[in-house]
Amino acid sequence: MNLETISLLRFEWILIAIIFILLVMKLMDADKNTKSMLTVVNGLLLINFLAGLLPMAEGSAFSDFFRTSQLIVLEKNILNFGLLLISFSGARYLYSIKNQLEFYILMLTSVVGMFFMISSGHVLMLYLGLEMSSIPVAALANYNRSLRNSSEAGLKMIFSSAFSSGILLFGISLLYGATGSLSFSAISMSIQPGALSLLAFAFILGGFAFKMSVVPFHLWTADVYEGAPVQVTNFLSVISKGSVIFVIITVLYKLFGNMHAEWQLVLSVLAILTMTIGNLFTMRQTNIKRLLAFSSVTQVGFVLVGIAGASKVANASVVYFVLIYMLSNIAAFGVIGAISESTGKENLDAFKGLYKSNPMLALTMALSFFSLAGIPPTAGFFGKLFLLAAGFGQGLYVVLAVAAINLVISLYNYLRVVKTMFMDQAEVALPNVKSNAPLTVALVICVAGLLLVGFYSPIFNFISSFSYGM
């Protein structure tokens, strides 16, 4: 392995080095002093994020199994940024549990798998990366082993991951039968619409649909989100889902580019179902984590509209939206985690009168929900606008009409929570929740990002300069 190859894998090497350092720290019993240990870990994650911002060349390695580009570097930087914010926002929870180092090792191992998946230039590398990213998440979902619903979440995560992997693997075998190769470049040139190719596409899309919580493959989402610790739910909804969204663009645009007409129709139908059913289920939820679980299903429906746009603008709009969604969700889950740790409750009733007892937390939560709903002038408004504009460019007028209706329903779902915080009276007043310094930093960054990303147009132009279309 020469120096050029090593430099192309810079993101992966740094994360592997951090995992190795954490293992050494575990052997040295560094977790006996929790506060010092978490400070060191957050420092390492900050270095990891800053190192990702350094200039990096494009290229490929291992016979094109691994590749990188400026867009891939940007996507990894977004995930690194989210990882750092989740670590900050989950400080209160991490102080209270044992085996914190194992928690980080599992999380970072999953991210290494995501990075290999995003950089894959071969279907086998894609599959291995997907598996490497999924298995640690199942262990994380079961991290509160003394709680029955946490064990249930871990079990459901394993079953759903195994089922989706089986579907994906069967689709890969059919794809090999249809094209005679598993290399991205060879498949993209040889694949043509046909019975075997369509069947391969259906199974591969089904495998990814599980990971993205696309209807009708979404049923695991709410139970796992509810049972897992808040920080794991945050990781699942932002980092795990964001990485799969980045990958599905590559799969559709590059592998199945010659079947554009076929998959655009399928994606349009799935977008309509996912937006609508996600919204309808959200209306019934009284648990805030389940509400955000079905909210994530709805948001994926909007992402599918953008992906179906199949253009450079569509690609940029999806990456841009993932960045905004990440800031919105980390802020929301940061507040939920703080309330949950203080009251032990995650029902909507626990948020009654939050504005009176904890005004800053309530305002942060409200801003993140406004962004998720797409209310101007938050960044979420521009994110949804660009996604729908990408669909408009392809003439998906029926999908856009359904999306418009769902935007209105989303308003009800998100404003219901805002009303609970600002207008409802709590039977027992909430205690004043004191945010620790890491959580405060994470929330301030998220709030600033939600206001800045929307107004500062060069961010979208920057993403667009690296993007590609059909």
Side-chain angles (χ1 to χ4, degrees), residues 9-28:
L9 277 81
R10 186 179 71 200
F11 284 89
E12 291 75 16
W13 284 125
I14 294 174
L15 282 178
I16 290 169
I18 294 175
I19 292 171
F20 182 76
I21 292 170
L22 297 185
L23 286 171
V24 173
M25 288 172 65
K26 182 64 184 176
L27 291 174
M28 296 173 65

Side-chain angles (χ1 to χ4, degrees), residues 21-70:
I21 292 170
L22 297 185
L23 286 171
V24 173
M25 288 172 65
K26 182 64 184 176
L27 291 174
M28 296 173 65
D29 291 330
D31 49 353
K32 285 184 177 176
N33 188 338
T34 303
K35 193 169 183 180
S36 300
M37 183 273 293
L38 288 178
T39 303
V40 172
V41 174
N42 283 332
L44 290 172
L45 292 179
L46 179 61
I47 293 170
N48 172 53
F49 170 63
L50 295 176
L53 299 178
L54 296 174
M56 187 170 174
E58 298 184 349
S60 62
F62 308 119
S63 303
D64 216 24
F65 265 63
F66 184 94
R67 62 192 171 77
T68 188
S69 65
Q70 294 305 310

Side-chain angles (χ1 to χ4, degrees), residues 222-273:
D223 291 340
V224 173
Y225 274 37
E226 183 184 8
V230 174
Q231 287 65 33
V232 177
T233 308
N234 201 355
F235 182 80
L236 271 170
S237 71
V238 173
I239 308 296
S240 180
K241 191 167 288 187
S243 66
V244 177
I245 289 172
F246 291 150
V247 170
I248 195 70
I249 294 174
T250 305
V251 170
L252 292 175
Y253 287 19
K254 293 196 170 177
L255 261 69
F256 293 100
N258 292 340
M259 297 166 60
H260 172 217
E262 287 77 10
W263 62 250
Q264 189 178 63
L265 177 63
V266 173
L267 249 61
S268 299
V269 173
L270 291 178
I272 290 172
L273 290 174

Side-chain angles (χ1 to χ4, degrees), residues 18 39 53 71 135-136 183 209 215 254 259 306 314 326 357 376 462 465:
I18 294 175
T39 303
L53 299 178
L71 180 63
I135 294 171
S183 164
V215 173
K254 293 196 170 177
M259 297 166 60
M326 181 185 80
S357 58
F462 178 72
S465 66

